[in-house]
Amino acid sequence: MDTKEGTKGFNLKLLVLEDSRHDFELVKEQLIDAGYVLDLTHVDRESDFIASLREDKFDIILSDFNLPGFNAFEALRICNDICPEVPFVCISGSIGEEVATDLLKNGAVDYVLKDRPERLPYAVKRALDEAFEKQAYKKAVKALQESENRFKQVAENAKEWIWEVDNDGLFTYSSPVVRSIIGYTEEEI
């Protein structure tokens, strides 16, 4: 997979929680090299992180694991409270497999080791794709629920009998007006 072709010119509003200027520049360089056009917010303290999340909307959040008096678990918890729909990726110099698994269980989308920075664009693209799919699914579910509610209102208020049968000819739905038309309840039909 060539991330540069898949991300070339893609505008990315990014919040980076990182206390090392060098590591922040490395993250920035990896994403620019992958073709992203970045709108970056860089913070290195919990208070600035929370303020940024409350003031702005981001496409993705990248977080160092260890910060002074603060860590990725706490950052993830805050993200889950303030903006649970935004993908969270942890970037760490020395995260163990067990800790990484715990982060994923708590809602992080991925983690990247700092000694493998070339993996970052792939993790970002995958996280964004997953967030897009979740958003599309939620929209589809909402549209379906709205459609079902409209149908139910129409069917319950119609003067005509509305019904549905399955392939075996068994009634799967009958509108309430059936009682006044043929004398049976919906359940009896």
Side-chain angles (χ1 to χ4, degrees):
M1 174 172 102
D2 183 6
T3 57
K4 193 160 194 165
E5 282 307 308
T7 59
K8 187 172 175 122
F10 185 87
N11 293 321
L12 184 62
K13 189 157 180 68
L14 178 66
L15 176 58
V16 180
L17 176 59
E18 175 61 70
D19 62 334
S20 164
R21 189 73 179 158
H22 175 266
D23 290 345
F24 168 72
E25 291 298 329
L26 184 61
V27 164
K28 184 175 157 183
E29 180 183 310
Q30 285 293 318
L31 295 175
I32 289 171
D33 286 350
Y36 288 104
V37 176
L38 301 179
D39 178 357
L40 275 170
T41 300
H42 174 222
V43 296
D44 61 1
R45 292 188 315 240
E46 180 179 6
S47 59
D48 295 336
F49 181 64
I50 293 170
S52 292
L53 290 175
R54 289 195 170 135
E55 292 170 9
D56 216 340
K57 295 258 185 215
F58 297 95
D59 297 318
I60 191 165
I61 297 162
L62 304 180
S63 175
D64 187 10
F65 184 77
N66 283 316
L67 298 120
F70 189 50
N71 70 30
F73 283 105
E74 293 162 355
L76 179 58
R77 182 189 51 76
I78 291 166
C79 289
N80 287 339
D81 289 343
I82 297 174
C83 54
E85 71 286 350
V86 178
F88 182 97
V89 176
C90 180
I91 303 172
S92 174
S94 59
I95 190 172
E97 189 175 317
E98 194 172 310
V99 172
T101 301
D102 287 344
L103 275 169
L104 295 173
K105 285 179 183 177
N106 284 297
V109 175
D110 207 345
Y111 67 95
V112 176
L113 297 175
K114 288 183 180 180
D115 65 351
R116 305 260 336 257
E118 68 280 357
R119 192 176 163 278
L120 181 61
Y122 297 98
V124 167
K125 182 171 184 331
R126 189 180 75 73
L128 293 171
D129 288 347
E130 186 178 303
F132 177 78
E133 288 173 12
K134 282 182 182 178
Q135 185 180 33
Y137 176 77
K138 283 182 183 180
K139 275 177 122 174
V141 166
K142 183 179 178 187
L144 179 62
Q145 288 171 337
E146 289 171 356
S147 177
E148 287 176 351
N149 288 339
R150 279 193 304 276
F151 172 78
K152 186 177 179 181
Q153 285 179 333
V154 168
E156 288 179 356
N157 293 308
K159 303 281 187 230
E160 291 81 27
W161 180 22
I162 299 172
W163 71 87
E164 177 183 66
V165 294
D166 63 17
N167 290 337
D168 297 324
L170 299 174
F171 284 89
T172 58
Y173 175 79
S174 180
S175 62
V177 76
V178 68
R179 174 172 269 192
S180 64
I181 294 175
I182 62 173
Y184 293 104
T185 68
E186 301 156 69
E187 293 79 23
E188 290 172 323
I189 291 293

